[in-house]
Amino acid sequence: LKVIAAVLSNRHTAMAGTSGSGSVAESLLPESNTCCGGLKRDFRKWIQWRNPSGSIGNRLPWQFLCSVLLILEMIPYFICVKHSWVLCVMGGFFVIKAMVEVWGQQTPTWIVPGTCCMLVVVYTLIIPTVAYMYGYCTMASDIHFQGRDMVALVLYFGGSLFSLAYEVGRFRWKAQAENKGGLHTVGLAAWCIHPNYLGDLFTYTGWALACGTTCAVSIPILMIWTFVLFVVPNSDFYLAERYPVEFPAYAQKTATLIPGLRSKVLSQILAWTCLMTSVYLFCYACPGPCGY
């Protein structure tokens, strides 16, 4: 025991004597932000479509690659839905809108993400799933009512115009000199923080309704779960970093996705309920339309 006490005493003395130099040495050591072969230690960086470093770099190769992948992956969709002009129109509008997002701005978006991880997710999971379930899985329709296509078109283009109105309003607001560098919180942004995502829910619901299958309807239901747990926190994290003064107060008083729904607990309950519903519909409603 005396030996242990002496060792501990000497160690304490040595540490006290070198605390200053130790702290300096530690500060000089480079902090590693990666592990496991270059993956980011912060898991949030894995699911960000924006470049975590904040630098845009040369986007041209990424834009070209994403354009080619998008077109190649949507070709089977158009082959499968060539019998339906409504689905062809919706698919064509989706491709055009995606191309505008690809080439219309230099900052990363979900369709041209700034991280390799999200690039793999988008073009091996998201786009192929949309093309498969909205295209191939329309062999057996189980949703029938008069005016279905008209309702689907209203939801699809209504949601698209809603998102477009928000983006145009945001661009015009930021174009004003007095608003430069400020957080956009007016117009549709006063209803919820992410009106563009809300519009997407209506868009994909209309697209699913035009497919005429309960299987396709599972996609917009699943989107609520992905928005609440992944997409919205991703965007909120970015906004909180870019607008550290304005965003906390704005987020506290404004609904995140669905106007009027500000409770995080209720949002989580809604998200997980949607996930279970979507999985149920996928398991029991997709075998027929998808032919398996």
Side-chain angles (χ1 to χ4, degrees):
L1 292 176
K2 290 182 179 180
V3 171
I4 295 175
V7 170
L8 292 177
S9 177
N10 292 335
R11 182 181 179 185
H12 176 73
T13 303
M15 290 178 63
T18 59
S19 60
S21 59
S23 60
V24 173
E26 290 177 359
S27 64
L28 294 176
L29 290 175
E31 182 181 357
S32 175
N33 293 322
T34 62
C35 67
C36 310
L39 293 176
K40 297 292 183 180
R41 292 184 182 276
D42 188 350
F43 176 73
R44 291 174 300 184
K45 301 292 193 297
W46 296 14
I47 58 174
Q48 284 183 336
W49 54 83
R50 298 178 178 90
N51 193 331
S53 65
S55 61
I56 296 176
N58 185 10
R59 300 288 298 166
L60 185 60
W62 285 84
Q63 290 170 309
F64 179 77
L65 174 62
C66 292
S67 299
V68 172
L69 290 175
L70 176 66
I71 293 174
L72 290 177
E73 292 181 359
M74 286 301 293
I75 288 176
Y77 167 85
F78 289 104
I79 294 175
C80 293
V81 302
K82 58 185 178 182
H83 62 280
S84 172
W85 70 269
V86 175
L87 291 177
C88 287
V89 168
M90 291 181 175
F93 187 81
F94 169 79
V95 173
I96 293 173
K97 180 182 176 183
M99 285 298 179
V100 171
E101 291 187 40
V102 169
W103 297 100
Q105 63 185 76
Q106 290 300 311
T107 55
T109 63
W110 76 274
I111 200 71
V112 191
T115 61
C116 293
C117 183
M118 277 305 300
L119 181 72
V120 172
V121 170
V122 170
Y123 290 100
T124 64
L125 181 62
I126 297 178
I127 301 296
T129 299
V130 170
Y132 178 72
M133 296 184 69
Y134 282 178
Y136 182 78
C137 295
T138 57
M139 295 187 294
S141 177
D142 58 0
I143 299 178
H144 305 280
F145 60 88
Q146 187 175 3
R148 187 195 70 190
D149 287 347
M150 184 58 63
V151 174
L153 286 168
V154 170
L155 287 172
Y156 184 89
F157 287 104
S160 298
L161 291 175
F162 185 86
S163 298
L164 180 62
Y166 163 71
E167 296 292 355
V168 171
R170 183 169 64 91
F171 289 151
R172 287 181 175 177
W173 185 86
K174 285 183 172 292
Q176 299 177 15
E178 62 271 20
N179 299 326
K180 187 176 182 179
L183 176 64
H184 178 243
T185 62
V186 298
L188 295 179
W191 296 5
C192 62
I193 299 176
H194 306 286
N196 49 338
Y197 301 151
L198 178 62
D200 288 341
L201 291 178
F202 286 99
T203 297
Y204 284 89
T205 299
W207 200 351
L209 194 59
C211 294
T213 65
T214 308
C215 175
V217 174
S218 67
I219 289 185
I221 297 176
L222 179 64
M223 286 175 63
I224 296 177
W225 177 75
T226 60
F227 279 167
V228 172
L229 265 70
F230 299 103
V231 178
V232 166
N234 188 317
S235 296
D236 286 351
F237 180 73
Y238 167 78
L239 292 173
E241 281 193 331
R242 184 166 183 178
Y243 308 101
V245 177
E246 301 171 88
F247 183 74
Y250 172 58
Q252 186 175 10
K253 67 179 182 180
T254 310
T256 302
L257 178 63
I258 300 176
L261 183 59
R262 294 196 297 269
S263 172
K264 292 185 178 180
V265 175
L266 292 179
S267 296
Q268 291 286 325
I269 293 175
L270 174 63
W272 287 102
T273 301
C274 288
L275 174 64
M276 292 185 290
T277 303
S278 179
V279 171
Y280 173 83
L281 293 178
F282 180 81
C283 293
Y284 293 95
C286 290
C290 295
Y292 60 84

